[in-house]
Each structure stands twice: as C-alpha cells, then as structure tokens.
C-alpha cells in the first residue's frame, strides 16, 4: 500500500480550513498538538512549501505582526489561505 503524506495532509487541510485563512501556528495546534495525526512541525512546513509552489495554497506576503515574510519560510505568524 502506497501512501502520499502530502496528499493526505492537503485533504485534511481542505476539510478543516477550506475557504478560510489560518495561521501556521493554528495548523500546528490542530495537527501536531494532538495524537490524532502523525505529522510534525517540520513535515507540515515541507508540505506547505510544496503546496505553495504548486499553487494549492495562497500565502500572505506579510505576517500577523505586519512584517514581511521571507519566501519559502513558514513561521507561526504566517497566514495562509486554503481554497
């Protein structure tokens, strides 16, 4: 049985946050701070990087605090939109 962790993550992301903006910290609270999922902060950041590259999520250029986000990084204050 082959598994595709990024596809699984994206499906869960759409189920829970589809059509809304969410901070990366919120994602960690949902997916890491629980025993329900096996993803780590590092794996989620890698998934987000791929999803952004593929155009499947939109990432705000500024963080919650108004500071500019460095491309390809996902600190907790970054806001993403899940279509």
């Amino acid at each position: 049985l082959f598994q595709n962790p990024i596809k699984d993550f994206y499906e869960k992301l759409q189920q829970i946050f589809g059509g809304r903006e969410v901070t990366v910290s919120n994602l960690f609270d949902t997916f890491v701070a629980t025993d329900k999922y096996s993803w780590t902060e590092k794996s989620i950041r890698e998934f987000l990087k791929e999803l952004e590259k593929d155009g499947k999520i939109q990432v705000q250029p500024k963080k919650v605090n108004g500071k500019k986000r460095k491309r390809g990084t996902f600190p907790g204050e970054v806001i993403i939109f899940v279509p």
Side-chain angles (χ1 to χ4, degrees):
L1 182 69
F2 293 101
Q3 292 185 331
N4 185 341
I6 193 166
K7 183 177 178 271
D8 295 343
F9 175 74
Y10 184 59
E11 286 174 1
K12 275 290 171 211
L13 192 62
Q14 285 184 306
Q15 277 177 10
I16 298 170
F17 297 107
R20 298 191 296 156
E21 286 187 335
V22 61
T23 63
V24 173
S25 288
N26 232 345
L27 294 181
F28 293 157
D29 289 346
T30 302
F31 295 121
V32 179
T34 173
D35 292 338
K36 199 172 177 184
Y37 307 100
S38 60
W39 300 307
T40 63
E41 288 188 16
K42 183 179 179 182
S43 63
I44 288 173
R45 282 191 170 99
E46 290 299 316
F47 295 156
L48 293 174
K49 199 180 289 190
E50 283 297 312
L51 293 171
E52 180 184 25
K53 191 178 78 172
D54 294 344
K56 293 188 174 180
I57 60 171
Q58 298 162 3
V59 184
Q60 297 293 331
K62 295 193 188 263
K63 299 185 273 186
V64 172
N65 62 12
K67 292 185 177 178
K68 199 170 173 166
R69 165 189 172 249
K70 287 183 190 168
R71 187 181 271 310
T73 62
F74 291 92
E77 312 82 44
V78 167
I79 302 165
I80 66 166
F81 175 73
V82 183

